[in-house]
Amino acid sequence: MANHEALDDIFVALADPTRRDVIRRLGRGPTSVGELARPFPITLPSFMKHVRTLEASGLIRTSKSGRVRTCTLNRERLALVDDWLAEQRRAWEAATDRLEQLVTDLEETP
Amino acid sequence: MANHEALDDIFVALADPTRRDVIRRLGRGPTSVGELARPFPITLPSFMKHVRTLEASGLIRTSKSGRVRTCTLNRERLALVDDWLAEQRRAWEAATDRLEQLVTDLEETP
């Protein structure tokens, strides 16, 4: 259940192009909020809402030093999406295997 | 941009445990709405909203035969999430390579 809630928050966080761009940018390394916000044609308070959504999902961490808040990507959290996708693939493969077995059984039936 | 919008809809669709369960169930093969709805303690109209959100995202397709509506998973659509994750990983790896190069350059500086 905890994992379910984590995935809810993660997918909500990823369902926005600005937030996905932030994730991509942070892949290059920790970055200050000011620098992250620069390319986006929105106000800093609007941008901060995106940062908070990302932080709430656990996808990023932020820390403040003086007046500068720096964001860091939490790759382990993004890996939960990989895990979920892998789980789906395993289910499909199991279904395909069962279907193949069924076809084999039918072919072998005299 | 089109891909951005597709990802928005896909991540919104995945940000709900009922919809993720439907995706998992459909991994085993096409299933009628009635059968899909059975395990969930919600009304059929509420369940249909989830089905429509999934359909709008392109993650599932539905077709009606007589009174039965059948849902089918569209794996190619789910693969867009894999593609997005792979893109992020490539960016991290490129960043790591640049960092390693920087360290090597520094070490080689007399």
Side-chain angles (χ1 to χ4, degrees):
Chain A
M1 201 59 200
N3 202 30
H4 247 335
E5 281 163 25
L7 282 173
D8 285 2
D9 292 345
I10 290 168
F11 284 128
V12 164
L14 295 178
D16 178 277
T18 298
R19 293 196 292 265
R20 287 198 301 277
D21 278 351
V22 170
I23 295 282
R24 173 178 298 125
R25 177 66 191 78
L26 291 178
R28 285 187 253 154
T31 314
S32 72
V33 168
E35 200 177 326
L36 280 176
R38 206 169 300 151
F40 299 103
I42 55 175
T43 63
L44 194 59
S46 296
F47 186 77
M48 275 309 295
K49 278 191 200 168
H50 288 306
V51 169
R52 280 191 215 105
T53 303
L54 285 166
E55 201 177 10
S57 75
L59 287 172
I60 72 168
R61 295 197 186 96
T62 81
S63 62
K64 205 165 181 179
S65 171
R67 290 172 57 185
V68 177
R69 182 169 291 279
T70 301
C71 302
T72 310
L73 187 63
N74 182 8
R75 296 188 198 179
E76 292 76 31
R77 200 75 171 168
L78 202 52
L80 289 180
V81 179
D82 274 311
D83 295 347
W84 184 80
L85 284 169
E87 201 184 313
Q88 308 317 307
R89 256 190 306 269
R90 277 195 299 274
W92 304 335
E93 284 159 10
T96 310
D97 288 350
R98 278 195 302 275
L99 199 64
E100 277 174 4
Q101 189 57 53
L102 187 71
V103 171
T104 309
D105 290 352
L106 284 172
E107 281 172 353
E108 284 172 358
T109 305
Chain B
M1 200 60 201
N3 202 30
H4 247 336
E5 282 163 26
L7 282 173
D8 285 2
D9 292 345
I10 290 168
F11 284 127
V12 164
L14 295 179
D16 178 278
T18 299
R19 293 196 291 265
R20 288 198 301 277
D21 277 351
V22 169
I23 296 282
R24 173 179 298 124
R25 178 65 191 77
L26 290 178
R28 284 187 255 155
T31 314
S32 72
V33 167
E35 200 176 325
L36 280 175
R38 206 170 298 152
F40 300 103
I42 56 175
T43 62
L44 194 59
S46 296
F47 186 77
M48 275 309 294
K49 279 189 200 169
H50 288 305
V51 168
R52 280 191 216 105
T53 303
L54 284 166
E55 201 177 10
S57 75
L59 286 172
I60 72 167
R61 295 197 186 97
T62 81
S63 61
K64 204 165 182 180
S65 171
R67 291 172 57 184
V68 178
R69 182 169 292 279
T70 302
C71 302
T72 310
L73 186 63
N74 182 9
R75 296 187 198 180
E76 292 77 31
R77 200 75 172 169
L78 202 52
L80 290 181
V81 179
D82 274 310
D83 294 347
W84 184 81
L85 285 169
E87 202 184 313
Q88 308 316 307
R89 255 191 306 269
R90 277 194 300 273
W92 303 336
E93 284 160 10
T96 310
D97 288 350
R98 277 194 301 275
L99 200 64
E100 277 174 4
Q101 190 57 53
L102 186 72
V103 172
T104 307
D105 291 351
L106 285 172
E107 281 172 353
E108 284 172 358
T109 305

